[in-house]
Amino acid sequence: MWESVGVILPAFGLIAIGFVAVRTRLVSERAGEGLSEFVYTLAVPCLIFRTLARAEVPAVQPWGYWIAYFAGVAVVWALAMLVAGRLFGLAPAERVLAGFSAGQSNTVLVGVPIILRAYGEEGAVPLFLLIAVHLPIMVAAASLLIEGRDASLIGIVRRLLVNPIIVAILLGSAARPLGAFIPEPAWRIAELIGSAAVPCALFAMGAALHRYGLTAGLPLPTIVSGLKLVLHPLIVYWLATRVFTMPPAWTGVAVLFAACPTGVNAYLLAERYRQGVALTSSAVSLSTMLAMGTIFVWLQVLGK
């Protein structure tokens, strides 16, 4: 229990500090946005690059690990779309965004800090192997569902290939056989920038909470948050422990990844399509606030 408290309190304490700092104007909204940009474009990519370039990656692809996670995504996505359409009468694009909000985890600003805190180096490889496929699959699926026949696969791929996280994954994988030829100062620079990822990401998340707010009310965002924080990790936990065989650390990473709150990409996607902005911003804010309690419970379930 106390180990779980040691994981949760520093993480959500930094989120609270970020929120209060912006709320009291100790730090400007612009500074919070700049910090988010630094985390997303430099700090986390450096952390991913350094980890993948030097880590022991399993020779066999962990299909059961990925299937356990994305089966959970599929279930909560479908349920959120059904609820958004049948009970709230939302338009098709908004239903997709409700589903995306229920299935898409905040990997960069919340997932990376909490999972690395809970599992350390042992959890780094499964964490980044999941990040490697999470963003492409989620964004591509949402774009195809929203755009329908007008969707451009080339455009989707092009957007993904310039994403800093995807670039870091590709470069980290390519650098594995060349690691001995990379000078030590270069590794040290990547380490220094990457070490800023965890505290900066959590502070930036707090600043983002102040920016997004709860403009869509509570009913649908509460349902979406429940699917995201409770049902999604429950499905992943059942599949990882009852259906597939994997090391305990991999199970824990997959469950905590699923237990993370709705990621800010849901809001960014809504902004891009000019639909469901209030819903996604509310889902991001509410799920992040509730996640402190639910992640604590999941850490207990996982023995952390």
Side-chain angles (χ1 to χ4, degrees), residues 84-118:
R86 293 287 179 87
L87 299 184
F88 293 89
L90 298 188
E94 292 177 309
R95 295 178 207 169
V96 173
L97 289 164
F100 185 81
S101 299
Q104 196 259 344
S105 294
N106 192 330
T107 57
V108 174
L109 298 182
V110 178
V112 170
I114 287 179
I115 292 172
L116 291 183
R117 173 85 177 179

Short mmCIF file of all heavy atoms in Angstrom, two decimals, residues 84-118:
data_model
loop_
_atom_site.label_atom_id
_atom_site.label_comp_id
_atom_site.label_asym_id
_atom_site.label_seq_id
_atom_site.Cartn_x
_atom_site.Cartn_y
_atom_site.Cartn_z
N ALA A 84 -23.00 7.20 -26.51
CA ALA A 84 -23.04 8.56 -27.04
C ALA A 84 -24.14 8.72 -28.09
O ALA A 84 -24.77 9.78 -28.18
CB ALA A 84 -21.69 8.92 -27.64
N GLY A 85 -24.38 7.67 -28.88
CA GLY A 85 -25.41 7.75 -29.90
C GLY A 85 -26.80 7.49 -29.38
O GLY A 85 -27.73 8.27 -29.62
N ARG A 86 -26.97 6.40 -28.61
CA ARG A 86 -28.30 5.99 -28.16
C ARG A 86 -28.83 6.86 -27.03
O ARG A 86 -30.01 7.22 -27.00
CB ARG A 86 -28.25 4.53 -27.70
CG ARG A 86 -27.99 3.53 -28.82
CD ARG A 86 -29.21 3.36 -29.71
NE ARG A 86 -28.95 2.42 -30.79
CZ ARG A 86 -29.10 1.10 -30.68
NH1 ARG A 86 -29.49 0.59 -29.52
NH2 ARG A 86 -28.87 0.32 -31.71
N LEU A 87 -27.99 7.19 -26.07
CA LEU A 87 -28.47 7.92 -24.89
C LEU A 87 -28.33 9.43 -25.01
O LEU A 87 -29.10 10.18 -24.40
CB LEU A 87 -27.72 7.44 -23.64
CG LEU A 87 -27.88 5.96 -23.27
CD1 LEU A 87 -27.17 5.67 -21.96
CD2 LEU A 87 -29.35 5.59 -23.17
N PHE A 88 -27.34 9.89 -25.78
CA PHE A 88 -27.09 11.33 -25.85
C PHE A 88 -27.32 11.91 -27.25
O PHE A 88 -27.23 13.12 -27.43
CB PHE A 88 -25.66 11.64 -25.39
CG PHE A 88 -25.44 11.36 -23.93
CD1 PHE A 88 -25.03 10.10 -23.50
CD2 PHE A 88 -25.65 12.34 -22.98
CE1 PHE A 88 -24.83 9.83 -22.15
CE2 PHE A 88 -25.46 12.09 -21.63
CZ PHE A 88 -25.06 10.82 -21.22
N GLY A 89 -27.61 11.06 -28.23
CA GLY A 89 -27.96 11.54 -29.56
C GLY A 89 -26.87 12.32 -30.28
O GLY A 89 -27.18 13.24 -31.04
N LEU A 90 -25.63 11.99 -30.05
CA LEU A 90 -24.55 12.72 -30.69
C LEU A 90 -24.41 12.33 -32.16
O LEU A 90 -24.80 11.24 -32.58
CB LEU A 90 -23.22 12.46 -29.97
CG LEU A 90 -23.12 12.89 -28.51
CD1 LEU A 90 -21.69 12.74 -28.02
CD2 LEU A 90 -23.59 14.33 -28.32
N ALA A 91 -23.82 13.24 -32.93
CA ALA A 91 -23.58 13.01 -34.35
C ALA A 91 -22.50 11.93 -34.51
O ALA A 91 -21.74 11.66 -33.57
CB ALA A 91 -23.13 14.31 -35.01
N PRO A 92 -22.42 11.29 -35.69
CA PRO A 92 -21.45 10.20 -35.89
C PRO A 92 -20.01 10.55 -35.53
O PRO A 92 -19.33 9.76 -34.87
CB PRO A 92 -21.59 9.89 -37.38
CG PRO A 92 -23.03 10.23 -37.69
CD PRO A 92 -23.33 11.43 -36.85
N ALA A 93 -19.53 11.72 -35.95
CA ALA A 93 -18.15 12.09 -35.65
C ALA A 93 -17.93 12.24 -34.15
O ALA A 93 -16.90 11.85 -33.61
CB ALA A 93 -17.77 13.38 -36.37
N GLU A 94 -18.93 12.81 -33.45
CA GLU A 94 -18.81 12.97 -32.00
C GLU A 94 -18.85 11.63 -31.29
O GLU A 94 -18.20 11.45 -30.26
CB GLU A 94 -19.93 13.88 -31.50
CG GLU A 94 -19.80 15.32 -31.97
CD GLU A 94 -20.95 16.18 -31.51
OE1 GLU A 94 -22.11 15.78 -31.72
OE2 GLU A 94 -20.70 17.25 -30.92
N ARG A 95 -19.59 10.67 -31.84
CA ARG A 95 -19.59 9.32 -31.26
C ARG A 95 -18.20 8.69 -31.35
O ARG A 95 -17.73 8.05 -30.41
CB ARG A 95 -20.60 8.43 -32.00
CG ARG A 95 -22.04 8.84 -31.85
CD ARG A 95 -22.92 7.91 -32.67
NE ARG A 95 -24.15 8.58 -33.07
CZ ARG A 95 -25.01 8.10 -33.94
NH1 ARG A 95 -24.78 6.92 -34.51
NH2 ARG A 95 -26.11 8.76 -34.26
N VAL A 96 -17.56 8.88 -32.50
CA VAL A 96 -16.20 8.35 -32.68
C VAL A 96 -15.26 8.98 -31.66
O VAL A 96 -14.43 8.28 -31.05
CB VAL A 96 -15.70 8.62 -34.11
CG1 VAL A 96 -14.22 8.21 -34.24
CG2 VAL A 96 -16.54 7.86 -35.12
N LEU A 97 -15.39 10.27 -31.45
CA LEU A 97 -14.52 10.96 -30.50
C LEU A 97 -14.80 10.52 -29.06
O LEU A 97 -13.88 10.47 -28.23
CB LEU A 97 -14.68 12.48 -30.65
CG LEU A 97 -14.08 13.04 -31.94
CD1 LEU A 97 -14.58 14.44 -32.23
CD2 LEU A 97 -12.55 13.03 -31.86
N ALA A 98 -16.06 10.19 -28.76
CA ALA A 98 -16.38 9.63 -27.44
C ALA A 98 -15.68 8.29 -27.27
O ALA A 98 -15.10 8.00 -26.21
CB ALA A 98 -17.89 9.48 -27.28
N GLY A 99 -15.72 7.46 -28.31
CA GLY A 99 -15.04 6.17 -28.26
C GLY A 99 -13.53 6.33 -28.15
O GLY A 99 -12.87 5.61 -27.38
N PHE A 100 -13.00 7.25 -28.92
CA PHE A 100 -11.56 7.52 -28.87
C PHE A 100 -11.14 7.97 -27.47
O PHE A 100 -10.11 7.55 -26.95
CB PHE A 100 -11.21 8.60 -29.90
CG PHE A 100 -9.75 8.90 -30.04
CD1 PHE A 100 -8.92 8.10 -30.81
CD2 PHE A 100 -9.19 10.00 -29.40
CE1 PHE A 100 -7.57 8.38 -30.95
CE2 PHE A 100 -7.84 10.29 -29.53
CZ PHE A 100 -7.03 9.47 -30.31
N SER A 101 -11.97 8.80 -26.84
CA SER A 101 -11.68 9.29 -25.48
C SER A 101 -11.70 8.16 -24.47
O SER A 101 -10.94 8.17 -23.50
CB SER A 101 -12.68 10.37 -25.07
OG SER A 101 -12.62 11.49 -25.93
N ALA A 102 -12.56 7.15 -24.69
CA ALA A 102 -12.66 6.03 -23.76
C ALA A 102 -11.51 5.04 -23.93
O ALA A 102 -11.18 4.31 -23.00
CB ALA A 102 -13.99 5.31 -23.95
N GLY A 103 -10.90 5.02 -25.12
CA GLY A 103 -9.87 4.02 -25.39
C GLY A 103 -8.45 4.53 -25.44
O GLY A 103 -7.50 3.75 -25.32
N GLN A 104 -8.28 5.84 -25.62
CA GLN A 104 -6.94 6.39 -25.82
C GLN A 104 -6.34 6.88 -24.51
O GLN A 104 -6.92 7.71 -23.82
CB GLN A 104 -7.02 7.54 -26.84
CG GLN A 104 -5.68 7.94 -27.42
CD GLN A 104 -5.12 9.19 -26.77
OE1 GLN A 104 -5.83 9.93 -26.10
NE2 GLN A 104 -3.85 9.44 -26.98
N SER A 105 -5.18 6.34 -24.17
CA SER A 105 -4.55 6.65 -22.88
C SER A 105 -3.57 7.82 -22.99
O SER A 105 -2.94 8.02 -24.03
CB SER A 105 -3.80 5.42 -22.35
OG SER A 105 -4.69 4.38 -22.05
N ASN A 106 -3.45 8.54 -21.89
CA ASN A 106 -2.48 9.63 -21.81
C ASN A 106 -1.10 9.02 -21.54
O ASN A 106 -0.66 8.92 -20.39
CB ASN A 106 -2.86 10.62 -20.70
CG ASN A 106 -2.06 11.90 -20.78
OD1 ASN A 106 -0.92 11.90 -21.23
ND2 ASN A 106 -2.66 13.00 -20.35
N THR A 107 -0.43 8.62 -22.59
CA THR A 107 0.82 7.89 -22.44
C THR A 107 1.99 8.78 -22.07
O THR A 107 2.83 8.41 -21.25
CB THR A 107 1.15 7.15 -23.75
OG1 THR A 107 1.21 8.10 -24.83
CG2 THR A 107 0.10 6.12 -24.07
N VAL A 108 2.07 9.96 -22.67
CA VAL A 108 3.24 10.81 -22.50
C VAL A 108 3.23 11.55 -21.17
O VAL A 108 4.19 11.51 -20.39
CB VAL A 108 3.37 11.81 -23.67
CG1 VAL A 108 4.51 12.80 -23.41
CG2 VAL A 108 3.61 11.06 -24.98
N LEU A 109 2.12 12.24 -20.87
CA LEU A 109 2.10 13.11 -19.69
C LEU A 109 1.80 12.37 -18.38
O LEU A 109 2.17 12.84 -17.32
CB LEU A 109 1.06 14.23 -19.89
CG LEU A 109 1.33 15.18 -21.06
CD1 LEU A 109 0.27 16.26 -21.11
CD2 LEU A 109 2.71 15.79 -20.98
N VAL A 110 1.14 11.21 -18.45
CA VAL A 110 0.80 10.48 -17.23
C VAL A 110 1.38 9.06 -17.25
O VAL A 110 1.98 8.62 -16.27
CB VAL A 110 -0.74 10.43 -17.03
CG1 VAL A 110 -1.08 9.62 -15.78
CG2 VAL A 110 -1.32 11.83 -16.92
N GLY A 111 1.19 8.34 -18.34
CA GLY A 111 1.60 6.94 -18.40
C GLY A 111 3.08 6.72 -18.17
O GLY A 111 3.49 5.90 -17.33
N VAL A 112 3.92 7.44 -18.90
CA VAL A 112 5.36 7.26 -18.77
C VAL A 112 5.84 7.53 -17.34
O VAL A 112 6.55 6.70 -16.75
CB VAL A 112 6.12 8.15 -19.78
CG1 VAL A 112 7.61 8.16 -19.49
CG2 VAL A 112 5.89 7.62 -21.21
N PRO A 113 5.48 8.67 -16.72
CA PRO A 113 5.96 8.91 -15.35
C PRO A 113 5.51 7.87 -14.34
O PRO A 113 6.31 7.39 -13.53
CB PRO A 113 5.37 10.29 -15.02
CG PRO A 113 5.10 10.94 -16.33
CD PRO A 113 4.72 9.82 -17.25
N ILE A 114 4.24 7.50 -14.37
CA ILE A 114 3.71 6.59 -13.35
C ILE A 114 4.23 5.17 -13.55
O ILE A 114 4.64 4.49 -12.60
CB ILE A 114 2.17 6.62 -13.35
CG1 ILE A 114 1.70 7.94 -12.73
CG2 ILE A 114 1.59 5.44 -12.57
CD1 ILE A 114 0.21 8.12 -12.68
N ILE A 115 4.25 4.70 -14.79
CA ILE A 115 4.69 3.32 -15.04
C ILE A 115 6.17 3.15 -14.76
O ILE A 115 6.60 2.16 -14.15
CB ILE A 115 4.34 2.91 -16.49
CG1 ILE A 115 2.82 2.80 -16.63
CG2 ILE A 115 5.01 1.58 -16.86
CD1 ILE A 115 2.33 2.59 -18.04
N LEU A 116 6.99 4.13 -15.14
CA LEU A 116 8.42 4.03 -14.84
C LEU A 116 8.67 4.13 -13.35
O LEU A 116 9.60 3.51 -12.81
CB LEU A 116 9.20 5.11 -15.59
CG LEU A 116 9.27 4.95 -17.12
CD1 LEU A 116 10.12 6.06 -17.72
CD2 LEU A 116 9.83 3.58 -17.50
N ARG A 117 7.87 4.90 -12.65
CA ARG A 117 7.99 5.00 -11.20
C ARG A 117 7.64 3.66 -10.54
O ARG A 117 8.26 3.24 -9.57
CB ARG A 117 7.07 6.11 -10.69
CG ARG A 117 6.96 6.23 -9.18
CD ARG A 117 8.06 7.05 -8.59
NE ARG A 117 7.90 7.20 -7.16
CZ ARG A 117 8.73 7.87 -6.38
NH1 ARG A 117 9.79 8.46 -6.90
NH2 ARG A 117 8.53 7.96 -5.08
N ALA A 118 6.60 2.99 -11.08
CA ALA A 118 6.13 1.74 -10.48
C ALA A 118 7.03 0.56 -10.83
O ALA A 118 7.30 -0.29 -9.98
CB ALA A 118 4.70 1.45 -10.94
#
